Amino acid sequence: MIARSLLHDGALRMEVHPELLRAASLWIPLLPEDTPADPAGAVVRVLASDGSSAGAPSSAPPTLRMGNVAAWLEGDRAVLDGTSGLHGVVDLASGSAELRVPPVAEPVGTDPAAWTLFSAATLAAALLLGRMERALAHAAAVVGPDGRAWLLVGDSHAGKTTTSVNLLQAGWRYVSDDQVVLYRAADGGLSVEGWPRPFHLDEGWEAGAPLHRRGTTDPRERWPGRWMRTAPLAGLLFPRVEADRPTAREALPAPDALARLLRQSPWLLADRGAAPRVLRLLQEAASLPAYELRLGLDTYADPERLVQVLA
């Protein structure tokens, strides 16, 4: 098995059968490979499908869905069932998840099995993190000149990556542009840890003309030395593209910020054993400064203008 630590303290790792490394490459974050993993910590294992079933309940509706993966939670056990022959079991009491998936036959970016594994791995990791009093959020995180991180929360195509890239062009740093782990640091404050992956930029971004999605960009090559694994959390930004209006920000009250944060992380409250502690973590995050960020064309490729709006 090929093991990768997913957290800076080694408390969660992923173990992948060598034959399935290609299938899992879509999900595995761009993290340093030399971080030691705690053998007593939680683990997500990716194994070859053996043709068996995880025993997903057929009569009860799933607790939640992500993409083409359904999850049933009962007590300390979660059962995952997806298309392309994927099935899995998450033992929340022992901190162990086992995902069984057939090999990927097509190019990773287009093979349904790879995307099914992406959803299943996200759900399994999110549920295990909840028992560790950490929260996985569908969000980006950028780090300002003061070394503190701002969480960018929103639907797909809301402008998270565009905002991240603009701020990187202005000299900021980044934690991730898609999945972020929220946790309580040793000093009692909130911090974020990133699971970075290749950025998907809009075609024509450099020219300031938003058109269509294009290929991926490896942030390690484009912005070397600008990644931070962890950073203290300063506040929340909720971007929304409105191309025909000038870029502006507006303060959000804590209840609205919490509701929007929950919307982007539907798995956070699925596990009753972890939900109360996770909810308190999110409530504390939502009590930090929070703003709705309306993104217009005036800052689409003008980093300095965006920094002025955020100042």
Side-chain angles (χ1 to χ4, degrees):
M1 299 289 283
I2 298 173
R4 298 282 177 83
S5 180
L6 297 174
L7 296 174
H8 71 283
D9 59 2
L12 175 65
R13 68 187 187 279
M14 191 173 197
E15 296 181 357
V16 184
H17 190 282
E19 293 181 0
L20 295 170
L21 185 60
R22 182 166 171 268
S25 64
L26 197 66
W27 189 88
I28 297 174
L30 302 174
L31 295 172
E33 298 182 14
D34 57 353
T35 304
D38 183 354
V43 59
V44 177
R45 293 188 176 92
V46 179
L47 305 170
S49 176
D50 57 5
S52 64
S53 170
S58 57
S59 58
T63 308
L64 75 160
R65 292 181 180 273
M66 179 177 177
N68 48 11
V69 176
W72 290 262
L73 278 81
E74 184 173 349
D76 291 334
R77 186 172 186 264
V79 175
L80 309 182
D81 184 61
T83 58
S84 306
L86 179 143
H87 62 268
V89 175
V90 184
D91 187 333
L92 295 169
S94 67
S96 175
E98 185 175 288
L99 307 177
R100 291 193 174 271
V101 61
V104 168
E106 303 174 26
V108 172
T110 60
D111 195 301
W115 285 107
T116 300
L117 178 56
F118 187 99
S119 296
T122 297
L123 286 174
L127 293 171
L128 292 174
L129 286 168
R131 289 298 177 103
M132 301 160 63
E133 299 188 31
R134 311 185 199 200
L136 177 63
H138 174 218
V142 289
V143 181
D146 63 356
R148 298 189 302 158
W150 287 85
L151 207 60
L152 298 168
V153 187
D155 296 334
S156 296
H157 307 294
K160 298 188 298 295
T161 300
T162 297
T163 303
S164 298
V165 170
N166 247 334
L167 292 172
L168 279 166
Q169 298 291 86
W172 288 38
R173 289 173 287 178
Y174 74 99
V175 176
S176 175
D177 89 314
D178 185 61
Q179 290 186 343
V180 174
V181 179
L182 182 67
Y183 69 99
R184 191 172 304 283
D187 62 3
L190 296 184
S191 289
V192 292
E193 176 165 3
W195 284 351
R197 297 186 179 88
F199 285 20
H200 292 82
L201 297 180
D202 291 329
E203 181 180 344
W205 183 87
E206 289 85 351
L211 297 173
H212 307 288
R213 287 285 186 175
R214 69 176 186 184
T216 60
T217 295
D218 190 331
R220 299 171 300 182
E221 297 176 358
R222 186 159 183 174
W223 301 284
R226 304 281 284 282
W227 177 64
M228 294 181 64
R229 185 157 197 169
T230 66
L233 183 62
L236 312 177
L237 294 172
F238 297 88
R240 185 180 76 249
V241 175
E242 292 189 12
D244 57 343
R245 301 181 65 185
T247 299
R249 66 178 173 91
E250 181 178 347
L252 275 179
D256 289 351
L258 177 61
R260 296 188 187 199
L261 188 57
L262 286 171
R263 170 181 167 82
Q264 297 306 320
S265 309
W267 48 76
L268 295 179
L269 301 182
D271 175 18
R272 295 184 180 183
R277 296 186 297 274
V278 172
L279 182 58
R280 286 194 294 271
L281 193 70
L282 298 182
Q283 288 173 325
E284 188 171 337
S287 69
L288 295 171
Y291 302 93
E292 183 175 64
L293 178 62
R294 188 178 68 229
L295 295 169
L297 280 178
D298 57 329
T299 59
Y300 196 73
D302 187 350
E304 296 306 323
R305 168 62 182 151
L306 180 59
V307 170
Q308 290 174 10
V309 172
L310 294 177

